[in-house]
Amino acid sequence: RNFISAGAFAAGNGIIPNVDAFQTAFKSLQTPLKGTREQNEFYRKLLRLGVVNSNVRLGDLQKLLADVQFGASASTLPSLRRLAKQGSRLKKGAEEFYTAEDDFWKITSFAMERQRYEQAYKKAGILKSADELDEIAADIVRNNIPNYDYVNDFVKGLRKFPIGNFVSFPAEIMRTSGNILNRAFREITEKVTLDDGRVIKPLSGIGYKRLFGFGATAVVVPYGTVEAAKAIYNVSGAEMSALRRFVPDWSKNSTLIPIKDEETGELKYIDFSHANAYDTMIRPFTALFNNIRDGVEDEEPVMQSIFKGLYEGIGETISPFVSEAIWTQAATDIFLRGGRTKTGQRLYTDQTPFGEKASIIAGHLIETQLPGSIGTFERLGLAARGKPDEYGREYELTDEALGFMGMRAVKVDPVNAMKFKIADYTSGINNSRREFTRPLLRGGPVTPEQIIDRYMVANEQLFKVQQDINRDYYAARILGSGQAELDREFADRVSNKALNAIKRGQFKPFIPSENIIKSFAENARALGQENPYNAARQTINRLARQYNRTNMMIEPFPFNTNPFAVETSLPTAGMGDTNVTLPNLGVPMQGANLLGGVSGNTFAKGQQVFGSNDPIFGS
């Protein structure tokens, strides 16, 4: 995967290597492979020029191992000395090949940059010495291809903090991307006055190639690959948008290549971002686009969506630098989050026996430190034997083998994923209700204005939760999940009444229970005040009736003003990001049921809710 993705560095500089450059690079590599180490003098020159042996990820890893004196303690014990020696050989061999993957493309790029600069200057009648051409080519490789020697000390030092995971690479991608564009601009605009007085731009051709190469590598190729796959496998924009609702969080803003089985219609995807060296530069724009896509035409909600997209885009950029380090996150899951992962997965409960809890904790801490390749080999073994994993998931040998190139095909299983969606839904319901009870029932004085404010806030959040599960439900249907099997996932977790409302898109508002109303009365008596809920009751009932008539699939959360507010210039609720139009797949829908598959769907009142230009499910 690293070898293939590193090829993007040459492509990103507008280089199309020739056979001579490949041969020179291979013969110069420092590996045990036959045919390498044949041009050691040339390699030593490249070392002096700072071109090779500067792999960014390996640099981070070597420094981390040095920080913890990896293996030093083991090698002092006679019984472990031999094992440590064997491990040292393995480590050395792994480093040689990891370095060679990076060096191959750097040497290739050096040879091609030198060649095209030499030809450009020769064509313009400008004489450059061999040393000058070497330094020009070396300078381009050092500054346009990630180089650990150029990572600043602050970024390198982040490895010693409990945040950041291999942060040097994204830092270098940002630096070199800017350098590529800057170099291209300079090449395009640089003018030289010849002896005969003519003014020429000898490097403009190289500059345009570099600019085109970077644009193609960073934007056109990923986009074109996705669109080609959609055309080949007949995957619609609606299916792609539905797919994104069921991918893991780390793939949310990735470049996803769809693959569909012609016979079964089963959809898989390849996370192209795993093999795309310039993904760091694309993801912020993808996050921004995805949020703008979910906006509406009114200026205010669109601006909110843009700001949210910018926020998420910035988050994507800085995430490697500020997110919890791998070990820190695992420890936080245990000691700070009480056995719950960052994504909400429960590792154990208070009722888990102590012995089992200790085993789960140890297993979780160890598992997070294991190389990802171990999981690849485990899935390969299961695929080769035709056995499912502990969760009943089956793997195909071809799909798993592609993982070595960063192109693993992942099967989409909306029905299984719906378990987690339902868990988010139920916790979201409870959290939304707490937005009403927590600030109002602490025991202090409360006004009717505050009650209405919190009632609207709680229902706005509840609207988002119900709208999300509604979209998840129909996204699963678009991806081929049957209604019966989906409904079974909701059984025992969600009431039939709530499920029917989800399928109809009918918003079911939060209505304070008798116990909550009783608590307001008790608090008021304790403070010697009139019960503020009595004054707010009529407005709450009116809002509840209005909310209950709202269809989440075609209407935004209703804007309302607080009648108890002294001065009200803006709505006090409905200002979130819920103002989005709903799926419109160009499919007529009727009732709560999807009859005869997605193609024949109709919905209440004959309204089309899934359209070709829909901001949620796409065209």
Side-chain angles (χ1 to χ4, degrees):
R1 188 192 78 178
N2 292 336
F3 179 78
I4 292 172
S5 63
F9 300 138
N13 278 279
I15 291 174
I16 302 177
N18 56 34
V19 176
D20 290 340
F22 280 149
Q23 288 179 342
T24 298
F26 183 76
K27 291 177 181 179
S28 303
L29 297 180
Q30 304 297 294
T31 73
L33 294 176
K34 185 179 180 180
T36 61
R37 300 183 189 269
E38 291 184 3
Q39 296 189 17
N40 289 341
E41 186 60 36
F42 179 60
Y43 190 83
R44 281 192 285 270
K45 181 175 79 170
L46 295 180
L47 271 174
R48 291 194 300 272
L49 291 169
V51 171
V52 293
N53 200 20
S54 55
N55 187 296
V56 176
R57 292 188 187 275
L58 182 59
D60 262 346
L61 184 56
Q62 287 174 327
K63 291 293 184 181
L64 282 167
L65 294 177
D67 289 341
V68 299
Q69 297 179 327
F70 187 77
S73 300
S75 61
T76 62
L77 303 175
S79 59
L80 295 177
R81 193 170 296 151
R82 178 180 294 180
L83 181 62
K85 188 175 181 180
Q86 293 173 344
S88 178
R89 291 197 196 100
L90 178 62
K91 174 175 172 287
K92 184 176 184 296
E95 286 181 347
E96 286 178 349
F97 280 106
Y98 205 87
T99 301
E101 294 169 354
D102 192 58
D103 283 351
F104 179 86
W105 289 106
K106 286 182 175 176
I107 298 171
T108 300
S109 297
F110 174 86
M112 293 302 300
E113 293 287 4
R114 192 187 189 284
Q115 181 185 93
R116 63 182 183 178
Y117 260 74
E118 182 179 24
Q119 291 174 349
Y121 281 130
K122 186 177 180 180
K123 183 178 180 181
I126 301 172
L127 296 178
K128 293 287 184 180
S129 68
D131 288 344
E132 286 178 309
L133 290 170
D134 286 345
E135 182 53 44
I136 291 171
D139 181 69
I140 295 173
V141 173
R142 288 194 303 262
N143 287 287
N144 289 18
I145 296 178
N147 188 319
Y148 191 68
D149 293 336
Y150 282 72
V151 180
N152 68 59
D153 292 338
F154 173 77
V155 172
K156 288 180 179 179
L158 286 177
R159 72 177 185 275
K160 298 181 179 180
F161 288 82
I163 58 172
N165 292 297
F166 295 95
V167 296
S168 295
F169 186 75
E172 275 299 275
I173 287 295
M174 295 175 195
R175 181 185 74 89
T176 56
S177 295
N179 286 345
I180 289 172
L181 297 174
N182 181 258
R183 168 74 67 167
F185 178 78
R186 283 161 46 200
E187 289 167 337
I188 292 170
T189 59
E190 183 176 324
K191 297 178 181 179
V192 175
T193 303
L194 301 179
D195 294 338
D196 59 7
R198 286 184 298 125
V199 178
I200 62 170
K201 296 179 180 179
L203 305 176
S204 62
I206 298 174
Y208 282 116
K209 287 179 182 177
R210 196 180 307 280
L211 190 61
F212 175 79
F214 183 76
T217 304
V219 180
V220 177
V221 170
Y223 176 81
T225 303
V226 172
E227 292 304 311
K230 286 168 63 177
I232 292 171
Y233 294 105
N234 193 28
V235 177
S236 67
E239 289 174 302
M240 286 297 295
S241 296
L243 168 66
R244 285 193 180 274
R245 300 193 71 86
F246 291 98
V247 299
D249 287 343
W250 58 82
S251 293
K252 177 182 176 184
N253 292 316
S254 292
T255 302
L256 304 181
I257 302 174
I259 302 173
K260 184 187 286 186
D261 188 298
E262 294 182 1
E263 295 181 1
T264 64
E266 181 182 71
L267 194 63
K268 300 178 184 178
Y269 69 91
I270 293 173
D271 191 332
F272 185 70
S273 295
H274 285 174
N276 183 9
Y278 291 104
D279 182 63
T280 303
M281 303 304 297
I282 298 175
R283 291 175 78 88
F285 295 102
T286 306
L288 174 61
F289 171 79
N290 286 343
N291 282 279
I292 293 176
R293 179 198 61 187
D294 291 341
V296 289
E297 295 180 358
D298 294 337
E299 181 179 358
E300 190 169 323
V302 168
M303 290 307 298
Q304 292 171 0
S305 190
I306 288 175
F307 283 126
K308 180 184 177 185
L310 286 171
Y311 175 80
E312 288 196 11
I314 293 170
E316 290 277 358
T317 304
I318 68 174
S319 176
F321 303 94
V322 299
S323 59
E324 298 164 324
I326 300 171
W327 172 260
T328 310
Q329 180 172 322
T332 301
D333 293 342
I334 303 301
F335 301 111
L336 295 183
R337 285 192 275 262
R340 189 183 292 275
T341 68
K342 193 174 183 178
T343 58
Q345 178 186 354
R346 172 65 72 178
L347 299 173
Y348 53 82
T349 67
D350 293 337
Q351 284 68 47
T352 303
F354 178 80
E356 290 183 23
K357 186 183 295 186
S359 176
I360 291 170
I361 290 173
H364 180 65
L365 292 173
I366 293 172
E367 184 180 1
T368 57
Q369 308 310 303
L370 295 177
S373 55
I374 290 179
T376 300
F377 282 113
E378 288 177 347
R379 291 191 298 270
L380 271 173
L382 291 171
R385 298 194 304 272
K387 292 185 177 181
D389 65 7
E390 58 183 313
Y391 301 105
R393 293 175 299 201
E394 297 180 348
Y395 302 101
E396 295 182 17
L397 195 59
T398 304
D399 294 343
E400 299 309 316
L402 286 171
F404 288 103
M405 295 183 289
M407 304 289 262
R408 175 175 173 248
V410 182
K411 188 183 299 184
V412 184
D413 189 352
V415 174
N416 184 60
M418 193 59 73
K419 295 183 178 71
F420 304 100
K421 299 287 189 180
I422 295 170
D424 289 342
Y425 164 75
T426 53
S427 63
I429 293 288
N430 294 329
N431 291 336
S432 299
R433 291 170 177 168
R434 290 192 188 101
E435 291 298 320
F436 180 77
T437 58
R438 186 167 47 194
L440 296 177
L441 298 178
R442 291 178 297 190
V446 174
T447 66
E449 179 184 357
Q450 291 173 317
I451 292 175
I452 299 303
D453 272 343
R454 298 313 303 175
Y455 184 72
M456 290 191 287
V457 167
N459 274 290
E460 184 179 16
Q461 300 310 309
L462 187 62
F463 185 92
K464 297 176 185 178
V465 172
Q466 294 184 27
Q467 190 177 60
D468 275 342
I469 196 68
N470 167 270
R471 292 173 177 173
D472 291 333
Y473 185 92
Y474 284 105
R477 292 305 316 274
I478 290 169
L479 295 177
S481 302
Q483 179 176 307
E485 57 181 346
L486 274 177
D487 289 358
R488 279 195 296 270
E489 294 299 322
F490 282 85
D492 301 327
R493 296 185 182 95
V494 177
S495 68
N496 287 334
K497 183 178 180 181
L499 176 58
N500 288 332
I502 289 170
K503 292 194 286 187
R504 291 195 306 270
Q506 181 185 3
F507 176 44
K508 303 302 292 182
F510 161 64
I511 298 175
S513 65
E514 289 300 322
N515 286 334
I516 292 175
I517 297 173
K518 183 179 178 181
S519 295
F520 277 109
E522 291 173 351
N523 287 347
R525 279 196 300 271
L527 294 170
Q529 297 177 345
E530 291 187 8
N531 185 355
Y533 190 85
N534 291 335
R537 187 191 300 269
Q538 185 176 355
T539 301
I540 286 179
N541 292 340
R542 176 178 59 80
L543 289 173
R545 288 193 297 271
Q546 179 190 11
Y547 293 154
N548 196 56
R549 293 193 297 268
T550 303
N551 190 310
M552 302 176 295
M553 302 181 76
I554 55 178
E555 298 175 76
F557 182 76
F559 282 11
N560 281 283
T561 56
N562 190 332
F564 293 95
V566 177
E567 293 182 5
T568 305
S569 58
L570 290 173
T572 54
M575 295 295 289
D577 58 351
T578 59
N579 266 11
V580 293
T581 56
L582 189 49
N584 195 348
L585 301 176
V587 192
M589 305 186 70
Q590 177 154 14
N593 298 323
L594 295 173
L595 305 176
V598 174
S599 61
N601 299 341
T602 54
F603 201 79
K605 301 180 182 178
Q607 296 155 321
Q608 285 193 332
V609 294
F610 294 85
S612 60
N613 294 317
D614 176 65
I616 296 167
F617 286 99
S619 59

